Amino acid sequence: MNLDFTGKTVLVTGASRGIGRTIALEFGRAGASVGCLATTLGGAQATADLIREAGGTASAAAANLAEAAEVEAALSALEAELGTPWALVNNAGITRDKLMMRMSEDDFDQVLAVNLKGAWLTSRAVMKPMMKARGGRIINISSVIGLHGGAGQANYSASKAGLIGLTMSLAKELGSRGITCNAVAPGFIETDMTGDLPQDFREFVVKQAPAGRLGRPEDIAPAVLFLASEQAAFITGQTLTVDGGLFL
Ligand code: NAI
């Protein structure tokens, strides 16, 4: 199956590094005009530059996803440059892991603000133009921790479980307009976010997962591209786990 995004604009949050950068680069390779969004303009631009160097089309914008006004300004700038988005990938996310006993209200609020409300804000911003175009794709990057919980991750797991609820609700609201909304739930993926996982936990994952290894951003991007494709029109409201079988 050839996933071709020529003529389509795709917006990716958290595109400066890790999973988001790989997703943005893959969309660029598949012909999409890619709007790269990150906390810093430099980070977003670095990814956009890589896409352009490879012959693709890309623009960059910066926004703190916890700030509604910044999100709206960044998304309208990208839309003005690249046109109506066909797809939005809500990939940006943060952790502030601590056992509940030690977790501050700010730890909870910040993680929910970026991971969950950020996706709500970006989805709200793209929804109108997508509805007008009578088609589109929203893909939320959740986590296996949103499905199964994680000790020391009450804030993160609540945000990622919340994304799954958001996904199903948007699927129901937008389905009649040709817009699908799905989530991808990655397992443990080698990025800056998991850089300080203890060695014994890594060994446990490698032993436990049928795939016998941690994941790489390149394992997640194809799932996202498929769900963003025209071919995935009849899949909506779903959460696709991509974890090498870790939670089987
Ligand atoms: P990362 O830490 O390498 O990259 C996170 C990205 O989000 C960066 O581009 C960063 O600039 C952006 N970001 C952070 N706070 C932001 C804010 N306030 N406003 C705008 N952008 C912001 O993380 P990684 O590993 O690439 O994760 C990407 C997504 O995948 C996250 O949502 C994460 O929760 C999720 N995920 C990651 C897993 C892993 O094992 N790495 C497993 C499951 C889910």
Side-chain angles (χ1 to χ4, degrees):
M1 185 171 38
N2 183 19
L3 302 182
D4 183 13
F5 290 88
T6 306
K8 287 185 159 63
T9 293
V10 177
L11 307 179
V12 182
T13 71
S16 63
R17 59 177 202 229
I19 296 171
R21 178 171 57 193
T22 300
I23 290 171
L25 294 176
E26 285 301 324
F27 272 118
R29 270 189 210 112
S33 299
V34 189
C36 302
L37 204 70
T39 337
T40 64
L41 191 57
Q45 239 150 15
T47 301
D49 286 346
L50 286 174
I51 293 170
R52 284 191 290 257
E53 278 160 27
T57 306
S59 281
N64 177 356
L65 287 183
E67 300 295 332
E70 288 186 29
V71 171
E72 273 165 36
L75 290 185
S76 15
L78 289 175
E79 203 186 323
E81 280 179 53
L82 300 173
T84 298
W86 159 256
L88 164 70
V89 183
N90 286 314
N91 161 79
I94 56 169
T95 52
R96 280 214 195 166
D97 294 355
K98 261 168 219 154
L99 288 174
M100 184 78 174
M101 294 279 282
R102 297 197 196 107
M103 189 176 284
S104 70
E105 202 174 330
D106 188 56
D107 291 329
F108 185 83
D109 288 346
Q110 278 304 312
V111 170
L112 269 286
V114 175
N115 297 7
L116 181 56
K117 192 175 171 195
W120 181 85
L121 286 169
T122 53
S123 301
R124 186 178 66 165
V126 301
M127 202 174 275
K128 255 198 200 147
M130 277 186 186
M131 284 166 92
K132 229 171 147 189
R134 298 199 69 79
R137 303 279 181 264
I138 297 174
I139 293 123
N140 294 320
I141 306 300
S142 177
S143 166
V144 289
I145 301 302
L147 291 165
H148 303 279
Q153 295 193 294
N155 50 359
Y156 184 78
S157 64
S159 72
K160 294 298 183 179
L163 273 179
I164 293 172
L166 178 69
T167 300
M168 294 188 289
S169 297
L170 291 187
K172 288 186 175 183
E173 285 188 28
L174 302 174
S176 65
R177 309 296 184 106
I179 303 165
T180 68
C181 185
N182 290 288
V184 171
F188 294 92
I189 311 298
E190 301 273 17
T191 67
D192 291 353
M193 186 178 271
T194 48
D196 52 7
L197 278 183
Q199 191 54 31
D200 56 346
F201 184 76
R202 285 170 180 273
E203 282 163 15
F204 166 77
V205 170
V206 168
K207 222 171 129 200
Q208 191 71 16
R213 62 174 174 84
L214 271 74
R216 297 183 277 265
E218 291 74 16
D219 294 313
I220 306 304
V224 175
L225 265 73
F226 171 63
L227 291 171
S229 69
E230 295 267 13
Q231 288 93 330
F234 204 52
I235 303 171
T236 195
Q238 303 304 304
T239 299
L240 176 57
T241 298
V242 184
D243 69 347
L246 179 63
F247 279 90
L248 278 177

